[in-house]
Amino acid sequence: MSSSTRKLAIGALIALLGSGVHAAEITLKAVSAFGQDTFFNQRFKTFVEKVNREGKGIVKIQVVGGPESIPPLEVGNAVRAGVVDFANTTGVFHATLVPEAIAGSLAEKPIAELRANGGHALLDRIHREKGNMVWLARVSDGLQYHIYANKKVSGGDFSGLKLRSVPVYRAFFQSLGATPLQVPPGEVFTALERGVVDGYGWPSVGIFDLGWQEKTKYRIEPGFYNVEVGFYMNQNTWKKLDDAQRAFLEKQVAWVESHNVDDLAAADAEKARQTAANIETLPIPAEQAAQFRSRAYEAGWKGIEQASPQHVAKLRELFGSGR
């Protein structure tokens, strides 16, 4: 190569490096743990549409399936292993991988405060270390779980009831004297119909999506915990993104989290709809309601303490009420 040719090649390389060219558009394979038309899938759908509309040349999200392709309790493993890059799911479903993820459901502070006080950063770091995943966003914040039943309970006495459960409130249900049973959402209707369970734990929204209102007579008040649904990414995929791609996704995350304020209105509308469907509100007497909620949180934090004694104190400080 002549001297002049070498100079031209070097000049072209310098021009390319100085042009700010970033990596080619990346396609993220995504899955949702929730059915296509269910409440907890709606914000994810809107997010995907917005990212794909505004992220041309930067990031594209390709939704490859829902719970029919990967069972909800296996989504965390799929993200960890890189089978998918991105998931709309809940830490409740991957608590076997990251037991500390339950702290998201015990949070008594909104995600904005958790980002400011270091709570999000801590739980994100634990997810990276234990689950090879990044906690990217929280897209449900302020909704509560409730106990729904087709048998009337008196004075907060749940002894003898068989309740569909998941790990986040299994210990709490046991402390109430109920028998918790793990039943996949797709099988709950049949379990209620056949008397396999007498009720179930579920958020204040979403039972109509699954048709469970047909087999539900009562919703117990008060509710408990803070329903956590979020976006999780494979850590290796996250590391492959360039600065522009990460900045773009972080901007979209800020946008989607700003819509969490809509959750309480959605819960009020859902409860009105439940009343219209003849689901009776069954309040626990005031003197026992405080004990009911206290027992819920003590059981939840005790479970994290048993699985993660090294992290529980800091998580409770950052996520809890501070009382």
Side-chain angles (χ1 to χ4, degrees):
M1 181 183 293
S2 68
S3 175
S4 59
T5 303
R6 282 199 300 271
K7 287 179 180 178
L8 285 171
I10 292 171
L13 177 60
I14 291 172
L16 177 62
L17 292 174
S19 67
V21 173
H22 59 73
E25 178 182 274
I26 187 169
T27 297
L28 305 177
K29 293 181 296 181
V31 69
S32 179
F34 306 98
Q36 172 74 9
D37 297 320
T38 61
F39 178 85
F40 291 110
N41 199 56
Q42 298 312 304
R43 204 158 289 162
F44 171 62
K45 286 172 63 177
T46 303
F47 177 83
V48 170
E49 290 168 359
K50 188 171 187 291
V51 166
N52 289 346
R53 184 173 62 251
E54 299 178 7
K56 295 185 186 303
I58 307 171
V59 176
K60 178 181 179 181
I61 299 176
Q62 178 187 3
V63 180
V64 296
E68 74 287 345
S69 58
I70 300 179
L73 296 179
E74 292 299 323
V75 169
N77 278 318
V79 175
R80 177 190 59 80
V83 175
V84 294
D85 303 302
F86 191 108
N88 175 49
T89 183
T90 168
V92 172
F93 290 163
H94 59 248
T96 52
L97 279 177
V98 187
E100 298 89 347
I102 297 297
S105 297
L106 303 179
E108 296 177 78
K109 296 167 184 171
I111 186 61
E113 187 172 348
L114 293 177
R115 288 189 180 277
N117 74 5
H120 173 271
L122 174 58
L123 193 52
D124 176 49
R125 176 169 63 81
I126 294 170
H127 271 86
R128 294 179 189 228
E129 292 172 354
K130 291 190 172 185
N132 191 35
M133 62 179 83
V134 175
W135 182 25
L136 196 63
R138 178 167 191 151
V139 294
S140 175
D141 203 0
L143 293 174
Q144 294 183 315
Y145 288 100
H146 286 270
I147 296 176
Y148 298 84
N150 53 26
K151 291 184 178 179
K152 197 164 190 174
V153 297
S154 177
D157 180 12
F158 295 86
S159 56
L161 255 64
K162 297 171 293 183
L163 297 176
R164 181 264 179 188
S165 179
V166 288
V168 66
Y169 41 75
R170 181 182 295 118
F172 171 45
F173 283 3
Q174 288 174 327
S175 77
L176 296 173
T179 300
L181 300 173
Q182 188 157 307
V183 180
E187 298 175 18
V188 171
F189 184 93
T190 301
L192 288 165
E193 191 172 47
R194 296 178 178 176
V196 174
V197 295
D198 303 309
Y200 53 92
W202 196 257
S204 48
V205 298
I207 69 169
F208 290 92
D209 296 338
L210 300 158
W212 297 353
Q213 79 281 357
E214 296 179 18
K215 301 296 177 183
T216 304
K217 294 181 179 179
Y218 307 103
R219 185 189 70 252
I220 313 302
E221 292 283 354
F224 58 96
Y225 296 165
N226 181 357
V227 178
E228 179 271 321
V229 173
F231 298 159
Y232 294 83
M233 269 191 72
N234 174 269
Q235 183 174 203
N236 299 335
T237 301
W238 176 255
K239 289 179 178 179
K240 291 177 184 176
L241 303 181
D242 67 17
D243 290 344
Q245 290 165 336
R246 291 185 190 179
F248 173 76
L249 281 178
E250 287 166 351
K251 179 182 177 181
Q252 302 303 318
V253 163
W255 172 82
V256 77
E257 286 187 343
S258 73
H259 287 271
N260 289 343
V261 295
D262 301 334
D263 285 350
L264 295 182
D268 289 341
E270 178 90 356
K271 288 180 179 181
R273 188 179 178 191
Q274 290 176 14
T275 299
N278 297 316
I279 296 174
E280 182 181 342
T281 301
L282 207 59
I284 295 175
E287 62 272 16
Q288 294 167 312
Q291 182 183 11
F292 174 85
R293 284 181 55 82
S294 176
R295 184 180 286 178
Y297 283 94
E298 286 305 316
W301 285 114
K302 184 177 180 180
I304 294 179
E305 182 178 20
Q306 291 170 344
S308 183
Q310 72 273 34
H311 291 304
V312 65
K314 194 64 177 177
L315 285 168
R316 191 164 190 174
E317 173 192 337
L318 297 174
F319 283 72
S321 66
R323 293 193 296 270

